[in-house]
Amino acid sequence: MRRAVFYNPAMALDRDLSVAVARAWSDRTGRRLRAWEMLSATGVRGLRVLNESGALDALLLTEANPEACRWLERNAAPHPAATVRSADARELPPGSPFDVVDLDPYGTPAPFLPTAIAATAPGGLLAVTATDMPVLAGVQRTACEARYGAVPLHGHFGPEGGLRILIAHALGAAARMGRSARPVLAYVHDHHVRAYLALDREARPAEVSRLPGPGWAGPALGEGPYGPMWVGPLFDAGFLRELRAPAGAARPREVAALLDRFREESGADTPFYFEPNRIAGALGLSEPPGLAPLLARLRELGHAAARSHVRPSAFRTTASEAVVFDVARELVARRFSSSPVR
Ligand SMILES: C[S@@+](CC[C@H](N)C(=O)[O-])C[C@H]1O[C@@H](n2cnc3c(N)ncnc32)[C@H](O)[C@@H]1O
């Protein structure tokens, strides 16, 4: 059977973000970067970053599929800064390490992570995508345990749980190589998760644990324990301030809106989230509390609170579930006491 060459238009927004991140990372480091796209397919992602970010000095593109590789050669030919290598991406290529490494597989990135980490310079940036969401988000729990060594959350928390499992897994692979890393931007989008990991210059302990652990006061996750998963921040707020929607973005309005949401979210960057309709369900309220009044009241009480990109009505907060529930009850009761009697 002939295998199709991979080009996925649904990832256009994701590639827009790759351009924005490369630009901001180059600004942060104060120099142009050398990059490796490990799994290039037609090269659309790496070549867009090269052309649109102005951040790269050199780009290595590897691809193992011969048919994809022919397209890759053709697409890269007009760009002197791009080099194509027809090879297995699990081999460390000549020229390693790189300032930026991009790992964007079909399915799981796990088999490629040791090479990706070895190929990323200290102080460099490693971008990792996973599209095996049935595994990471708990539909295939046994596969998640085998592939990532982690118990996944299932249901509405599944995608964020999957993102946090992926990050913990990548950090575990880094630790085994005497390296450490932290996310500067990590998100759930459509049917994949993606994390941009800053590879540290010095080893430091990772914020990885099983949830809900002792003292967990956040949203009820179920019995668990789930994970191990990353429980630290998904965003580096300073880095987010430097991100701009690229001038040539395929989805300019969506990218700008997503960046705004990330910035808001970074103000209350806690694991997992609440949703007004689920709060109403848990408390037996006759209607959900409004999202805006909930956020406002939590902030009045001194807690950080912000909408999340993960789901349209989701919000994160530093308040405990008990406080969130009290505020929700108060707001719904107040709404009823101020409605006219009919
Ligand atoms: C999801 S696609 C990459 C998409 C691309 N990054 C983009 O943004 O359009 C994954 C690619 O990895 C290639 N691939 C799979 N295993 C590989 C390996 N071991 N070495 C190199 N390429 C590989 C596949 O042929 C496929 O083209």
Side-chain angles (χ1 to χ4, degrees):
M1 193 177 71
R2 230 169 96 89
R3 213 176 135 196
V5 172
F6 189 87
Y7 169 73
N8 184 356
M11 296 293 253
L13 179 134
D14 204 66
R15 292 190 281 261
D16 287 343
L17 286 174
S18 290
V19 175
V21 167
R23 175 72 263 153
W25 195 255
S26 163
D27 289 348
R28 173 174 273 207
T29 55
R31 59 192 171 77
R32 282 155 63 89
L33 309 165
R34 293 174 61 252
W36 178 29
E37 187 180 21
M38 297 178 74
L39 306 170
S40 294
T42 59
V44 60
R45 182 185 297 266
L47 292 171
R48 276 201 58 196
V49 172
L50 178 66
N51 288 333
E52 297 175 33
S53 70
L56 304 191
D57 245 356
L59 169 67
L60 175 66
L61 302 144
T62 57
E63 172 56 50
N65 176 319
E67 191 182 348
C69 224
R70 277 194 289 280
W71 282 101
L72 184 56
E73 297 271 9
R74 197 178 302 178
N75 292 340
H79 308 285
T83 308
V84 171
R85 187 164 184 263
S86 169
D88 187 331
R90 288 167 296 183
E91 292 165 11
L92 203 60
S96 295
F98 297 85
D99 303 306
V100 176
V101 171
D102 191 287
L103 170 53
D104 178 38
Y106 297 123
T108 179
F112 301 98
L113 275 170
T115 313
I117 292 159
T120 308
L125 190 67
L126 168 59
V128 184
T129 305
T131 64
D132 55 338
M133 293 313 288
V135 174
L136 280 168
V139 178
Q140 297 167 15
R141 176 183 166 137
T142 315
C144 191
E145 288 172 0
R147 194 173 286 171
Y148 294 100
V151 178
L153 278 146
H154 187 31
H156 69 116
F157 286 134
E160 178 169 334
L163 173 62
R164 292 181 180 278
I165 285 172
L166 171 70
I167 296 168
H169 183 79
L171 268 47
R176 284 190 289 281
M177 299 167 70
R179 311 281 305 270
S180 67
R182 69 193 163 83
V184 292
L185 168 60
Y187 59 90
V188 174
H189 192 251
D190 288 343
H191 302 295
H192 70 278
V193 291
R194 183 157 163 95
Y196 289 90
L197 303 172
L199 269 284
D200 289 333
R201 291 181 187 280
E202 288 139 35
R204 60 165 110 179
E207 293 177 63
V208 167
S209 61
R210 293 178 195 269
L211 289 182
W216 172 253
L221 301 175
E223 225 167 82
Y226 303 101
M229 60 179 83
W230 171 253
V231 295
L234 298 178
F235 307 106
D236 173 330
F239 183 62
L240 286 185
R241 280 194 291 278
E242 293 159 32
L243 287 178
R244 302 277 171 273
R251 309 259 176 85
R253 277 204 297 269
E254 274 177 71
V255 184
L258 197 56
L259 290 178
D260 281 347
R261 182 57 58 90
F262 291 158
R263 285 184 198 106
E264 176 181 338
E265 192 167 1
S266 69
D269 199 346
T270 54
F272 298 103
Y273 50 82
F274 297 93
E275 289 176 282
N277 56 348
R278 289 184 184 275
I279 297 171
L283 298 180
L285 301 176
S286 54
E287 59 180 78
L291 180 58
L294 258 174
L295 297 180
R297 184 72 184 122
L298 287 166
R299 288 176 192 143
E300 259 171 38
L301 294 172
H303 304 285
R307 289 173 298 169
S308 166
H309 75 285
V310 173
R311 289 165 69 92
S313 66
F315 68 96
R316 299 184 195 274
T317 177
T318 51
S320 66
E321 183 179 73
V323 169
V324 172
F325 281 6
D326 282 349
V327 168
R329 280 192 204 94
E330 171 199 316
L331 289 173
V332 173
R334 203 191 292 167
R335 196 188 297 159
F336 275 103
S337 66
S338 61
S339 329
V341 178
R342 292 176 206 277

